[in-house]
């Protein structure tokens, strides 16, 4: 298996710390709002990594956090805690907000057929671990208390910027948008491990600590959870590209200073899902969820399929046209597969030939679109019997996970319930005299090849 490693800036052979076992940490969502499809693209990338390693026979253990405290609006040490922003916006408690958006997140996550990692832990569940780490970092001279907060002193490290290796980051720290100069810091690039809450501050979640009542910084949360549940040596840690700096850079700094040795060998970063405005971002108000796509009548796996058709290290432009195209290709693929006569006995040589090709593509830094080409080549091959084909398709779908084998009946019944639902929505819109909406629903169906026919008895349809 070869993977691009952000730490070395190269595609490298993946060699785990312990033979046959892989420990992966995935940065989880900040649950102050709905996860948009951009967030989910990142988790689909992690899911493919996870499932590929399992497919290759590794024993995978993966952990993911839920950020329910400490992630400030600047992604650095200034601005408001995002959970506080949501608490004020929705007039609920932080825990209510966290519960609501965590549940919504996992719903979308599962709709996209992402496997839930073995370990899920919330930032608020591990405060003792962060305090233990921060105490040691202070004792060993890596961290200092200043103005009530505790900061990590980056000048104590030789190679703080190892992950990004980008001197520009160094220059822009402290001058990044929304990041204010902090007179408490020895170096402007130092980062907060613990925030102490002043009595004038209205921060709901706070805990006792040796430095006063307060709450942990965002970065220490992932180091703490990873070390607590996966141990001192991690194989792969990932997120999207924006996590590399400052989040992962800070995680490496504090984890390695705490542990006294190298912590994680491979850093895995997914590129963005973008729209016409650029990166899809919660902070820009992006609200397009996987659930929204389902409500609009799309199969959530059409979105997953769209992600598989591009490489995880390339930006992916989301448009409805592209989604429709992806939906129609996936439907055609399923129909074609369901028409295969699965008779025969296993042709082992041919099975292994295609399986090897499939593995070769995935092992090349998760080249999912080439792996799909192997599937198309298989479907075109007349020299292989139906039984072997179906066995291979089932096998490939352990990684793709787009339900390639779906009998036509269930495709049809899904389509039928979508059409019925759309007819109902249109009827309601008409009753409310919202004719624009009613027309939009008619157009929506038409764009999918479904023509509505209004009669005195009601509305029927025709597939065109
Ligand atoms: P957040 O909930 O904002 O902490 O984000 C959850 C994860 O989604 C993080 O790893 C982000 O880096 C990632 N992410 C945010 N926006 C995008 C996007 N447009 N495309 C891909 N990943 C993203
Ligand atoms: Zn993280």
């Amino acid at each position: 298996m070869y993977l691009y490693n952000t730490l070395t800036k190269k595609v490298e052979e993946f060699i785990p710390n312990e033979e046959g076992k892989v420990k992966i940490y995935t940065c989880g969502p900040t649950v102050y709002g709905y996860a948009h499809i951009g967030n989910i693209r990142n988790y689909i990338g992690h899911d493919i990594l996870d499932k590929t390693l399992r497919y290759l026979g590794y024993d995978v253990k993966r952990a993911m956090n839920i950020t329910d405290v400490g992630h400030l609006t600047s992604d650095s040490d200034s601005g408001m805690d995002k959970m506080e922003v949501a608490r004020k916006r929705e007039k609920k408690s932080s825990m209510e907000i966290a519960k609501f958006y965590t549940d919504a997140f996992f719903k979308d996550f599962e709709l996209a057929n992402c496997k839930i990692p073995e370990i899920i832990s919330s930032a608020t569940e591990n405060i003792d671990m962060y305090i233990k780490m921060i105490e040691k970092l202070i004792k060993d001279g890596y961290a200092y208390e200043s103005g009530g907060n505790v900061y990590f002193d980056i000048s104590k490290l030789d190679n703080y910027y190892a992950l990004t290796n980008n001197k520009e980051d160094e220059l822009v720290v402290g001058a990044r948008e929304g990041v204010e100069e902090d007179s408490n810091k020895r170096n402007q690039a130092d980062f907060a491990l613990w925030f102490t809450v002043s009595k004038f501050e209205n921060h709901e979640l706070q805990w006792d600590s040796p430095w006063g009542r307060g709450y942990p910084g965002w970065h220490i949360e992932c180091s703490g959870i990873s070390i607590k549940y996966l141990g001192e040596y991690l194989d792969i840690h990932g997120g999207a590209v924006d996590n590399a700096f400052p989040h992962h850079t800070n995680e490496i700094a504090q984890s390695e200073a705490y542990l006294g040795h190298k912590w994680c060998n491979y850093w895995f970063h997914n590129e963005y899902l973008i729209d016409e405005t650029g990166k899809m971002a919660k902070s820009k108000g992006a609200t397009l969820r996987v659930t929204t796509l389902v409500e609009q009548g799309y199969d959530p796996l059409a979105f997953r399929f769209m992600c598989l058709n591009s490489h995880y290290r390339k930006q992916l432009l989301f448009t409805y046209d592209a989604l429709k195209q992806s939906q129609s290709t996936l439907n055609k693929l399923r129909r074609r597969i369901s028409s295969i006569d699965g008779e025969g006995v296993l042709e082992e040589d041919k099975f292994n030939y295609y399986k090897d090709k499939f593995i070769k593509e995935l092992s090349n830094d998760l080249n999912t679109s080439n792996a799909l080409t192997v599937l198309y080549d298989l479907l075109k091959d007349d020299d292989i019997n139906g039984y072997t084909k179906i066995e291979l398709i089932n096998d490939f779908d352990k990684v793709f996970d787009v339900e390639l084998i779906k009998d036509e009946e269930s495709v049809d019944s899904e389509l039928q319930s979508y059409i019925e639902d759309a007819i109902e929505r249109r009827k309601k819109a008409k009753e409310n005299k919202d004719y624009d909406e009613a027309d939009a629903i008619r157009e929506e169906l038409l764009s999918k090849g479904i023509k509505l026919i209004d009669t005195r008895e009601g509305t029927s349809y025709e597939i065109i």
Side-chain angles (χ1 to χ4, degrees):
M1 172 76 171
Y2 285 78
L3 269 183
Y4 181 81
N5 185 356
T6 314
L7 196 56
T8 56
K9 316 275 177 295
K10 282 195 300 243
V11 175
E12 289 185 326
E13 184 175 5
F14 172 68
I15 303 166
N17 283 305
E18 218 183 310
E19 209 186 321
K21 294 194 173 159
V22 188
K23 290 181 178 170
I24 309 178
Y25 187 88
T26 300
C27 283
T30 309
V31 284
Y32 71 113
Y34 289 118
H36 51 69
I37 56 174
N39 300 125
I40 299 296
R41 181 205 184 183
N42 169 48
Y43 295 111
I44 291 173
H46 282 252
D47 189 64
I48 294 292
L49 171 69
D50 180 317
K51 285 176 179 155
T52 298
L53 290 166
R54 281 171 212 270
Y55 182 85
L56 295 175
Y58 288 103
D59 175 3
V60 178
K61 191 167 176 192
R62 183 150 76 106
M64 183 171 81
N65 62 299
I66 300 290
T67 301
D68 53 0
V69 71
H71 187 175
L72 306 195
T73 44
S74 66
D75 284 350
S76 287
D77 300 334
S78 64
M80 256 177 99
D81 186 327
K82 295 183 180 191
M83 295 302 294
E84 286 289 302
V85 173
R87 186 169 74 85
K88 285 173 186 150
R89 179 184 71 214
E90 300 187 20
K91 303 191 173 44
K92 289 185 195 151
S93 73
S94 300
M95 285 295 106
E96 279 168 334
I97 302 269
K99 164 115 187 46
F100 180 82
Y101 289 113
T102 302
D103 290 349
F105 169 77
F106 280 115
K107 185 177 165 222
D108 286 346
F109 191 85
E110 291 199 285
L111 277 170
N113 271 2
C114 290
K115 178 184 173 300
I116 300 206
E118 284 64 32
I119 297 146
I120 302 285
S121 192
S122 296
T124 51
E125 288 169 349
N126 304 284
I127 304 293
D128 290 357
M129 179 69 187
Y130 320 139
I131 291 179
K132 182 174 125 188
M133 288 177 74
I134 298 167
E135 281 183 312
K136 181 162 190 292
L137 289 171
I138 295 177
K139 190 167 120 289
D140 294 348
Y142 288 106
Y144 59 94
E145 214 184 324
S146 174
N149 297 340
V150 182
Y151 297 96
F152 187 94
D153 183 345
I154 66 141
S155 70
K156 296 285 192 269
L157 304 179
D158 296 335
N159 200 7
Y160 168 68
Y161 291 97
L163 192 62
T164 47
N165 205 8
N166 184 352
K167 287 288 160 190
E168 270 176 36
D169 285 336
E170 204 167 346
L171 297 173
V172 294
V173 164
R176 290 168 68 220
E177 203 187 335
V179 180
E180 293 150 22
E181 283 262 322
D182 184 343
S183 58
N184 291 325
K185 292 182 178 180
R186 288 182 191 162
N187 318 288
Q188 279 310 304
D190 289 353
F191 58 91
L193 297 164
W194 187 267
F195 293 101
T196 301
V197 180
S198 84
K199 62 176 183 265
F200 307 106
E201 229 180 309
N202 178 15
H203 195 283
E204 190 196 16
L205 295 178
Q206 40 179 283
W207 294 264
D208 284 328
S209 82
W211 319 285
R213 279 186 76 74
Y215 60 97
W218 172 37
H219 320 297
I220 193 74
E221 162 198 334
C222 288
S223 293
I225 294 176
S226 178
I227 295 170
K228 182 168 164 184
Y229 295 98
L230 297 175
E232 289 194 11
Y233 295 90
L234 186 63
D235 293 302
I236 307 174
H237 188 127
V241 283
D242 58 342
N243 291 142
F245 187 86
H247 186 49
H248 290 160
T249 298
N250 293 347
E251 281 191 52
I252 295 175
Q254 67 206 1
S255 299
E256 298 194 349
Y258 172 73
L259 295 168
H261 58 72
K262 188 170 181 190
W263 172 46
C264 175
N265 290 334
Y266 300 87
W267 287 83
F268 174 80
H269 290 108
N270 282 264
E271 255 299 349
Y272 297 139
L273 185 77
I274 56 171
D275 59 20
E276 64 286 352
T277 69
K279 178 194 172 193
M280 207 175 262
K282 281 184 211 173
S283 57
K284 288 197 318 203
T287 52
L288 185 56
R289 301 159 56 200
V290 178
T291 298
T292 322
L293 299 181
V294 172
E295 283 164 4
Q296 291 168 343
Y298 295 98
D299 177 346
L301 299 182
F303 176 64
R304 184 179 170 100
F305 190 60
M306 181 174 163
C307 296
L308 296 181
N309 274 291
S310 105
H311 191 256
Y312 77 92
R313 282 198 295 119
K314 289 215 177 91
Q315 292 198 344
L316 174 60
L317 175 68
F318 177 83
T319 62
Y320 276 100
D321 280 344
L323 181 66
K324 278 177 199 150
Q325 185 61 45
S326 171
Q327 172 90 67
S328 130
T329 312
L330 180 61
N331 287 347
K332 270 189 218 141
L333 190 58
R334 285 172 175 161
R335 248 178 262 139
R336 191 161 162 197
I337 290 169
S338 73
S339 70
I340 296 173
D341 171 8
E343 292 296 307
V345 287
L346 190 72
E347 295 168 303
E348 242 171 86
D349 286 357
K350 288 173 188 167
F351 183 91
N352 290 335
Y353 170 78
Y354 278 103
K355 190 173 168 100
D356 286 351
K357 278 177 83 167
F358 181 69
I359 289 178
K360 189 168 153 265
E361 297 303 348
L362 285 178
S363 300
N364 178 16
D365 196 24
L366 305 174
N367 196 331
T368 46
S369 69
N370 280 4
L372 282 167
T373 306
V374 176
L375 171 67
Y376 287 114
D377 289 345
L378 168 70
L379 291 174
K380 275 189 287 193
D381 190 339
D382 293 331
D383 250 5
I384 177 167
N385 71 31
Y387 180 80
T388 311
K389 268 191 188 171
I390 296 290
E391 286 293 293
L392 278 162
I393 293 163
N394 264 320
D395 192 58
F396 295 175
D397 213 22
K398 287 180 193 154
V399 179
F400 294 143
D401 221 344
V402 288
E403 295 170 17
L404 290 170
I405 303 201
K406 218 175 177 190
D407 54 59
E408 273 203 280
E409 211 179 311
S410 78
V411 176
D412 284 347
S413 73
E414 253 173 45
L415 183 67
Q416 192 154 347
S417 67
Y418 161 63
I419 298 171
E420 280 162 11
D421 178 63
I423 291 176
E424 199 48 43
R425 279 192 287 132
R426 181 164 165 265
K427 193 170 147 219
K428 288 230 174 74
K430 278 187 173 173
E431 280 165 11
N432 295 333
K433 304 209 167 15
D434 188 351
Y435 299 110
D436 286 346
E437 172 69 7
D439 286 346
I441 295 170
R442 171 190 278 282
E443 285 304 313
E444 175 189 316
L445 289 169
L446 207 53
S447 74
K448 297 190 169 72
I450 303 149
K451 189 177 163 200
L452 294 185
I453 304 155
D454 291 316
T455 65
R456 254 183 305 170
E457 287 73 40
T459 305
S460 64
Y461 65 89
E462 187 183 287
I463 308 272
I464 50 174

